[in-house]
Amino acid sequence: MPKKKKLSKEERKRIRLQKGKQWLLTYNGTPKHMNKHYQERFCDDRFAFIAGYTSGGAPFGMQWEEVGIDPELPFQEKVRLYLSGEYTMPDMNEFEDDIDDCEDGILIIEVLPYTFSICKVEDYSEVNLEDEFCFTGKTDGEKSLVCLTDKVPSSTTERADGWRAFRVAGSLDFSLVGILAEISGALAERNVSIFALSTFDTDYILVKGQDLNRAVNTLRREGYQVMEAGNLA
């Protein structure tokens, strides 16, 4: 599971409140749509209300069926029904026992000290699969490669250089949902473009080098612990 820093009950509350307040401060939409967009940001396809997160990053709270909404409906339809006035937001105090009992924590995100390139290649004959970082993707229409910039092969036909990478520390359980969506959503709200990759163990998020500092600051405001790879306690 991801490495974590144990938090006190008050620290967990502070982080959840901080995330909500930060969202409101940086919201660029109209007041008419603020409530709808806030709901879309702080609920997901399973939960009508997310009260908190476990140490592995899995949300807990009140699920859609618990508020009387069919969980099989499309997400936008569930949100529309939820905002119709027939359903009320649960009191946070209802979940205090759950919050106290779980080992709540912060996902640690590592900043890798390398520059990456995203490439389209003719073939993989020059690719060394034993390199420290090497991501390949083949479809019926292309062959792609993400690698360290100094490892780009001559068979490359197109390339985008200057990418930096974040990695969610530790190993993510396959049952966890929404971690990459939450990270990418937070960055999108700050106009940071990403290129996402997932491996068996965890998720990687690439951003352009000029966006690195903005991305780091955004993730820290969202409550993540961001640090250089190799400096984990």
Side-chain angles (χ1 to χ4, degrees):
M1 300 296 289
K3 297 178 182 179
K4 60 183 182 293
K5 172 186 175 183
K6 289 187 177 180
L7 302 175
S8 69
K9 175 179 173 181
E10 291 305 314
E11 286 175 322
R12 295 196 297 270
K13 282 185 177 180
R14 177 182 57 78
I15 288 172
R16 285 194 298 274
L17 289 172
Q18 182 185 43
K19 289 176 70 173
K21 289 178 180 178
Q22 184 62 36
W23 185 92
L24 291 171
L25 289 173
T26 58
Y27 180 72
N28 295 318
T30 64
K32 178 181 178 181
H33 297 125
M34 180 180 287
N35 190 37
K36 176 179 182 293
H37 292 162
Y38 184 87
Q39 291 294 335
E40 291 176 346
R41 178 70 178 84
F42 290 95
C43 60
D44 66 14
D45 196 57
R46 292 175 57 206
F47 292 92
F49 173 67
I50 297 175
Y53 294 84
T54 69
S55 60
F60 63 86
M62 183 166 284
Q63 297 187 13
W64 290 106
E65 56 264 36
E66 293 180 281
V67 298
I69 295 176
D70 183 357
E72 299 301 319
L73 291 172
F75 178 69
Q76 295 295 336
E77 177 64 12
K78 288 187 286 192
V79 172
R80 187 191 69 77
L81 289 172
Y82 192 60
L83 295 172
S84 68
E86 299 177 17
Y87 309 95
T88 58
M89 178 69 76
D91 186 344
M92 189 67 178
N93 291 327
E94 295 179 21
F95 298 94
E96 287 302 325
D97 290 340
D98 294 325
I99 294 171
D100 289 339
D101 290 340
C102 79
E103 287 190 340
D104 204 355
I106 300 175
L107 282 180
I108 295 177
I109 298 178
E110 302 173 282
V111 182
L112 301 181
Y114 309 108
T115 301
F116 289 82
S117 294
I118 302 171
C119 311
K120 180 184 287 188
V121 298
E122 294 177 346
D123 56 58
Y124 296 118
S125 61
E126 299 178 15
V127 176
N128 183 1
L129 296 179
E130 298 303 315
D131 284 339
E132 190 171 15
F133 293 96
C134 177
F135 305 90
T136 61
K138 180 182 181 300
T139 70
D140 59 348
E142 65 170 312
K143 297 181 180 70
S144 295
L145 170 70
V146 178
C147 62
L148 300 180
T149 297
D150 62 1
K151 301 292 186 180
V152 172
S154 61
S155 60
T156 296
T157 58
E158 296 181 47
R159 59 190 285 178
D161 297 326
W163 293 83
R164 295 295 303 275
F166 295 99
R167 173 173 60 195
V168 179
S171 299
L172 300 177
D173 189 276
F174 287 131
S175 65
L176 301 182
V177 296
I179 294 176
L180 183 57
E182 182 168 335
I183 293 172
S184 61
L187 294 176
E189 288 176 5
R190 303 300 293 171
N191 296 315
V192 176
S193 298
I194 71 165
F195 187 94
L197 294 162
S198 293
T199 65
F200 188 93
D201 281 342
T202 191
D203 296 322
Y204 291 77
I205 302 96
L206 279 67
V207 302
K208 294 295 287 185
Q210 64 265 29
D211 293 331
L212 180 64
N213 289 337
R214 184 149 49 108
V216 168
N217 291 334
T218 297
L219 293 173
R220 283 176 174 161
R221 283 196 297 268
E222 287 291 309
Y224 297 101
Q225 184 175 356
V226 183
M227 56 203 313
E228 293 182 8
N231 291 339
L232 296 177

